[in-house]
Amino acid sequence: MTIMPTTLRERARIIHERLRQVYDPHITALDWTDPWQLMVATVLAAQCTDERVNQVTPELFRRWPGPAELRQASQAELEEVIRSTGFFRNKAKNLLAAANLIMDKHGGEMPRTMAEMIEIPGVARKTANIVLSTALGVVEGIAVDTHVKRLSFRLGLTESDKPERIERDLMEAFEREIWGEVNHLLVQHGRAVCQARLPRCSVCLLADVCPKLGVTKSA
């Protein structure tokens, strides 16, 4: 029988070690070939499934593979290509503005700091963290999406429902050198086992160290 870890750091260490044995700590569900394309795909994934985004981006990147090409597109052209991702008008507006900013201010290269990343239209800390850590190898924080938010609370890694606070709590719980892996591992476990409506606690490799906060029914 495993004794519930008494410290947050110890629970986080066990969680990371176990998840890493099962999931790829570097895999992403979105298809991309460079930092710009990962940023675009992540922006499109807001309020949209990764599967849908992956259906849209092949044509998007065929027509406009980088910011230099995209800045030449019209709002109407871009909207038509990304329409099925939802909120397409605002996403198109942000992506066109992002292409212009990156070309004009950064010479076509994606910036490598959090401060510069969040200046890009449509990019907040979640997207910035994903691009920085996954595509550029720059670790400044931990991306908090819906899966990470849900699992962090259930696992007792945070008591907050605010992404900024959750990120700070996770950064305190996990060692800095693995921050870039945390999002990928939690997302994969959230999709496979710790699902939103009916978590599969009976087959969860973290069941003995999880306080199951907020879980009222499980499989």
Side-chain angles (χ1 to χ4, degrees), residues 35-45 53 57 60-61 70 95 131:
W36 161 260
Q37 292 189 357
L38 178 57
M39 187 275 289
V40 171
T42 306
V43 168
L44 292 178
V53 173
T57 49
L60 173 62
F61 296 148
L70 188 65
L95 289 176
V131 176

Side-chain angles (χ1 to χ4, degrees), residues 42-53:
T42 306
V43 168
L44 292 178
Q47 303 298 312
C48 180
T49 66
D50 293 339
E51 292 77 13
R52 171 60 61 183
V53 173

Side-chain angles (χ1 to χ4, degrees), residues 150-204:
R150 180 176 73 254
L151 269 67
S152 296
F153 181 74
R154 287 179 176 174
L155 288 164
L157 298 173
T158 186
E159 295 180 350
S160 178
D161 62 355
K162 307 297 184 184
E164 297 83 2
R165 180 67 238 186
I166 294 171
E167 182 182 6
R168 290 198 296 271
D169 289 341
L170 294 178
M171 289 164 66
E172 292 175 4
F174 293 94
E175 299 293 337
R176 186 184 180 95
E177 58 265 27
I178 62 171
W179 284 356
E181 301 182 0
V182 172
N183 172 271
H184 299 313
L185 294 173
L186 291 178
V187 166
Q188 291 175 78
H189 191 59
R191 286 180 171 147
V193 177
C194 195
Q195 298 159 354
R197 294 186 179 180
L198 194 66
R200 302 169 60 208
C201 297
S202 63
V203 297
C204 181

Side-chain angles (χ1 to χ4, degrees), residues 71-101:
R71 77 186 307 191
Q72 304 302 320
S74 70
Q75 174 92 11
E77 287 177 317
L78 183 53
E79 285 181 5
E80 186 60 30
V81 173
I82 68 172
R83 181 178 296 270
S84 63
T85 67
F87 302 96
F88 60 92
R89 290 189 179 89
N90 193 52
K91 290 178 180 179
K93 178 182 177 181
N94 282 334
L95 289 176
L96 289 172
N100 282 316
L101 184 146

